[in-house]
Amino acid sequence: MIETLIWIVVAVVAIGLYLSWTAGRLDRLHARIDAARAALDAQLLRRASVTQELASSGVLDPAASIVLYQAAHAARQAEEEQREVAESELSQALRAVFGETAQVEAVQAAPGGEDAAGELAAAVRRVPMARRFHNDSVRAARALRRHRKVRWFRLAGHAPFPLAFEMDDEPPVALADRPGS
């Protein structure tokens, strides 16, 4: 009788430790999602800021400046529900303006243009990486949250279900292939 009771206690403690470890793992995944989202937000803000700065510098033709400035402004001011769409529209505007190398070369030829083009190229290339890190973290947390033990024992607590950030982040060819940036 006592031996059975000891085994039951050992089993309950082992299950408790396992559930505690799983809850800790899920908590770490949620913290990683928060950090990755902050990094993504920073990269998106940097891309929009650099784009606005370049659009208002007078280096581009007026039509391209207006298109880029409006798209960057819309991306910076977008509400959370519309953010993915606004960021996708900024990506499309960047591809429309910098779709050909001639436009990048024109920017580089202007005073301070080499630095501006390099900064924009770096910002444009960092967005897909930051989004990929965020979405990978979301994917891992979702996979763990789908397990029965997590649902049955409510190990996720009241944390919202993590959502991926889906947007068009393909960089313009002329900026993405810049050597030395």
Side-chain angles (χ1 to χ4, degrees):
M1 175 72 175
I2 300 239
E3 186 177 317
T4 306
L5 187 59
I6 290 173
W7 281 112
I8 291 173
V9 168
V10 167
V12 168
V13 167
I15 291 170
L17 286 173
Y18 178 71
L19 291 176
S20 175
W21 176 81
T22 303
R25 181 172 169 228
L26 189 58
D27 187 51
R28 287 188 301 276
L29 282 172
H30 282 133
R32 195 169 94 191
I33 289 171
D34 291 342
R37 181 57 188 245
L40 175 61
D41 287 341
Q43 291 305 324
L44 291 171
L45 181 62
R46 182 170 183 261
R47 180 180 76 156
S49 298
V50 170
T51 302
Q52 273 187 319
E53 187 177 310
L54 184 62
S56 61
S57 69
V59 173
L60 300 169
D61 64 271
S65 292
I66 290 171
V67 166
L68 285 180
Y69 190 87
Q70 287 178 343
H73 181 72
R76 289 182 74 176
Q77 300 299 317
E79 296 293 324
E80 193 59 36
E81 304 84 41
Q82 298 299 318
R83 183 109 188 259
E84 293 172 349
V85 173
E87 294 293 348
S88 294
E89 289 172 355
L90 177 56
S91 295
Q92 292 165 0
L94 284 165
R95 279 197 310 271
V97 172
F98 294 107
E100 298 178 13
T101 347
Q103 185 72 7
V104 176
E105 291 168 357
V107 169
Q108 290 172 337
E114 185 69 38
D115 291 338
E119 195 175 345
L120 181 61
V124 162
R125 278 197 309 269
R126 287 183 180 133
V127 167
M129 287 187 296
R131 189 174 75 85
R132 203 168 305 124
F133 285 133
H134 175 266
N135 288 350
D136 286 346
S137 299
V138 166
R139 198 172 301 113
R142 285 176 146 185
L144 185 57
R145 286 182 70 153
R146 278 192 210 105
H147 289 204
R148 281 189 206 128
K149 65 181 175 261
V150 173
R151 290 192 321 260
W152 287 350
F153 293 102
R154 300 178 192 260
L155 298 181
H158 296 289
F161 196 73
L163 298 174
F165 194 85
E166 297 300 332
M167 64 172 272
D168 173 7
D169 61 2
E170 185 178 333
V173 176
L175 288 175
D177 295 338
R178 287 199 58 215
S181 297

